[in-house]
Amino acid sequence: MALATGMRVSARALLRAWAWLPGAALGRTGPAAGCGGVRRFGNQRVLVEPDPAAGIAVMKFKNPPVNSLSLELLTELVISLEKLENDKTFRGVILTSDSPGVFSAGLDLREMCGRNPAHYAEYWKAVQELWLRLYLSNMVLIAAINGASPAGGCLISLTCDYRVLADNPRYAIGLNETLLGIVAPFWFKDTLVNTIGHRAAERALQLGLLFPPAEALQVGIVDKVVPEDQVQSTALSVMGKWLAIPDHARQLTKNMMRKPTVDRLVKQRDADIKNFVSFVSRDAIQKSLQIYLEKLKQRKG
């Protein structure tokens, strides 16, 4: 992993990069929704709405206020995905947020602050595992992006086969790690390069760009921008086109295109975890994270 910095990460830099997203990365968890009249399954932080007749399911992130990627959410996403993959009824999944306005704010900073090295290692391994499962999933994955999607939220959408973004100027998307004074891991970078090309990715990563919908479409980080109330229906329509392709041919093609990228992380997975633990354990990083999280608490209060 390339999480490294040549300078002290200031609390001011952290706030500047994330303050636009209310409640960012605090990762509070609300109660699970009732099933209503729909046969749903899932757990506290992930809601799955299956449609066996169509062979698809909608998987909703449910970790308010901003769907930050806590260890629990990461684990529950992997479990839910695995359950759908093991049930051959399902051929496609739509990933979206149960809290319109934010798709996912990315990594939960509380998992990276004030913990021990063993916890940091467990957390980063879970981040890797979700990416590995999503990026090489045999199912068709479509991101119905109904809110802001910075950093880790952007990464999740990039693992999908197709991305639909709501046309709202507040719903920016991108890998903005450099605004926090850090460097995106190499496999974040590889995923972006595979999506928008080397030069566009280099510029976006160096500047920590968060693209509003029109620019996101132009650069190719999303495939379609639609009115906010049409995100879900558009994702369903697009899903039909992807599922019209014979599964074996599509799956083999996807594997051919993506496996070299996956293999690169698999070969360096342990080293990537060690680098992450070393980075977040630095006194300067811990101090900056503590100050930032305290500022967030004050804002919420």
Side-chain angles (χ1 to χ4, degrees), residues 210-232:
L210 289 169
F211 298 96
E215 293 180 24
L217 181 63
Q218 183 177 25
V219 78
I221 205 167
V222 300
D223 299 293
K224 200 173 189 67
V225 172
V226 299
E228 200 159 353
D229 62 354
Q230 296 178 23
V231 172
Q232 190 81 359

Side-chain angles (χ1 to χ4, degrees), residues 58-265:
V58 177
M59 186 182 296
K60 295 182 176 181
F61 313 142
K62 191 176 177 62
N63 194 28
V66 292
N67 291 327
S68 52
L69 299 174
S70 64
L71 180 58
E72 291 83 3
L73 177 57
L74 293 168
T75 302
E76 292 176 9
L77 283 169
V78 168
I79 291 172
S80 296
L81 185 68
E82 187 175 55
K83 183 172 182 178
L84 290 170
E85 287 180 330
N86 289 338
D87 184 341
K88 301 308 180 183
T89 302
F90 298 101
R91 302 170 58 213
V93 176
I94 294 173
L95 299 177
T96 193
S97 170
D98 193 55
S99 305
V102 57
F103 183 72
S104 171
L107 302 185
D108 188 337
L109 300 184
R110 298 189 310 170
E111 302 283 6
M112 302 159 57
C113 184
R115 308 294 188 98
N116 59 47
H119 181 84
Y120 300 145
E122 181 185 13
Y123 179 64
W124 196 245
K125 186 175 183 179
V127 176
Q128 293 175 334
E129 185 65 23
L130 179 63
W131 180 81
L132 290 167
R133 292 297 189 102
L134 291 172
Y135 202 58
L136 270 191
S137 175
N138 280 331
M139 296 185 295
V140 176
L141 303 183
I142 294 180
I145 309 169
N146 55 345
S149 188
C154 176
L155 181 72
I156 288 178
S157 70
L158 290 174
T159 67
C160 295
D161 300 291
Y162 196 94
R163 287 160 290 282
V164 181
L165 176 61
D167 192 6
N168 185 319
R170 296 182 60 194
Y171 296 173
I173 183 172
L175 297 177
N176 61 326
E177 281 79 1
T178 55
L179 297 184
L180 305 178
I182 61 178
V183 179
F186 71 85
W187 42 286
F188 282 46
K189 179 267 297 181
D190 290 345
T191 311
L192 185 63
V193 169
N194 290 350
T195 305
I196 67 174
H198 192 280
R199 174 55 189 154
E202 181 183 11
R203 175 175 171 269
L205 287 169
Q206 287 199 44
L207 297 178
L209 297 179
L210 289 169
F211 298 96
E215 293 180 24
L217 181 63
Q218 183 177 25
V219 78
I221 205 167
V222 300
D223 299 293
K224 200 173 189 67
V225 172
V226 299
E228 200 159 353
D229 62 354
Q230 296 178 23
V231 172
Q232 190 81 359
S233 61
T234 301
L236 287 168
S237 176
V238 169
M239 179 67 77
K241 296 179 180 179
W242 282 75
L243 294 183
I245 305 300
D247 283 343
H248 70 282
R250 183 193 55 75
Q251 290 167 357
L252 287 172
T253 301
K254 181 176 183 176
N255 189 75
M256 175 179 66
M257 296 296 295
R258 296 188 173 197
K259 194 172 185 299
T261 302
V262 168
D263 287 345
R264 188 174 177 213
L265 173 59

Side-chain angles (χ1 to χ4, degrees), residues 9-25:
V9 182
S10 68
R12 180 176 297 179
L14 286 166
L15 285 167
R16 183 172 65 249
W18 290 84
W20 58 275
L21 197 57

